[in-house]
Amino acid sequence: MTERQEVPRKPDDSVAVVSELMMPHQVNNLGHVFGGELLSMVDRAAAVSAMRHARSPSVTVSIDRVDFVEPIYTGELVTCTARVNFVGRTSMEVGVRVLAENLLSGEKRHTNTCLLTFVAIDADHRPCPVPPTRAVRPGRRPTGARSQAPARGSGGVGPRVAGVGNSSRIRRGQSDRSQSRPGPVY
């Protein structure tokens, strides 16, 4: 595997948005959208964001966290906004924020927050390096793999401890994101 020398990319350049009107076949007997329907939308938005950042095919390694804050109902427009939060050598953490909009009243509600991990792959389906991100706001640290803060600041998710919860995946070489990463979840 050859190392690519990439120019750092702004996190906002990776933003991807997926929207869909929730229909009766997508809800349970209470009128709430199935979690699997929502996870499918989240995964698609996050995949676009990861591929946009890496400029190569990227695959889902894990869905690290999903917080269901409020139910989503039939007839609401669901919008998933994804952005790359952290970049390792070959992996990317993508944060997804989900909003539900009542199209008749105009009310928008934050219903979910999700964190997913993607790995960029080459033509042989092997992990390949991804470009680092660069800080775009004064006082923020770059989020490249070599410049991580010791622990995540704010963001509602809390710090990651190297190897905790990922030890078997890391031993198998499937993820290199054992470092903590700063910044909020999008």
Side-chain angles (χ1 to χ4, degrees):
M1 185 176 353
T2 61
E3 290 290 323
R4 298 185 297 180
Q5 296 299 322
E6 296 280 352
V7 175
R9 297 201 175 116
K10 293 186 289 186
D12 289 343
D13 291 343
S14 69
V15 172
V17 179
V18 171
S19 294
E20 188 173 342
L21 182 64
M22 294 294 105
M23 303 302 284
H25 70 279
Q26 296 169 304
V27 301
N28 62 22
N29 60 331
L30 298 174
H32 301 169
V33 172
F34 288 118
E37 290 281 345
L38 187 61
L39 289 177
S40 174
M41 289 181 66
V42 163
D43 193 32
R44 283 182 276 144
V48 170
S49 180
M51 287 186 269
R52 187 172 277 162
H53 178 83
R55 296 286 183 229
S56 67
S58 300
V59 295
T60 309
V61 172
S62 69
I63 298 178
D64 298 336
R65 182 176 182 135
V66 180
D67 295 324
F68 292 94
V69 181
E70 293 187 45
I72 300 170
Y73 302 101
T74 307
E76 291 188 311
L77 179 69
V78 174
T79 302
C80 299
T81 305
R83 186 184 87 170
V84 172
N85 291 336
F86 167 81
V87 173
R89 195 179 71 75
T90 63
S91 65
M92 296 158 282
E93 178 192 77
V94 180
V96 182
R97 182 177 171 86
V98 181
L99 296 177
E101 179 182 357
N102 180 320
L103 295 173
L104 303 179
S105 70
E107 176 193 6
K108 293 180 183 178
R109 299 175 295 118
H110 172 227
T111 60
N112 298 73
T113 300
C114 308
L115 291 176
L116 298 88
T117 302
F118 282 79
V119 169
I121 57 173
D122 60 19
D124 296 324
H125 300 275
R126 305 295 302 161
C128 65
V130 296
T133 58
R134 65 180 166 106
V136 292
R137 293 181 211 132
R140 296 218 32 200
R141 291 180 152 202
T143 57
R146 305 281 184 247
S147 60
Q148 298 307 306
R152 183 188 302 249
S154 64
V157 177
R160 278 267 190 187
V161 177
V164 173
N166 297 322
S167 58
S168 63
R169 194 172 64 231
I170 290 168
R171 278 195 300 274
R172 292 191 312 258
Q174 295 176 352
S175 177
D176 62 346
R177 58 175 195 80
S178 62
Q179 297 177 346
S180 297
R181 53 229 173 260
V185 173
Y186 192 84

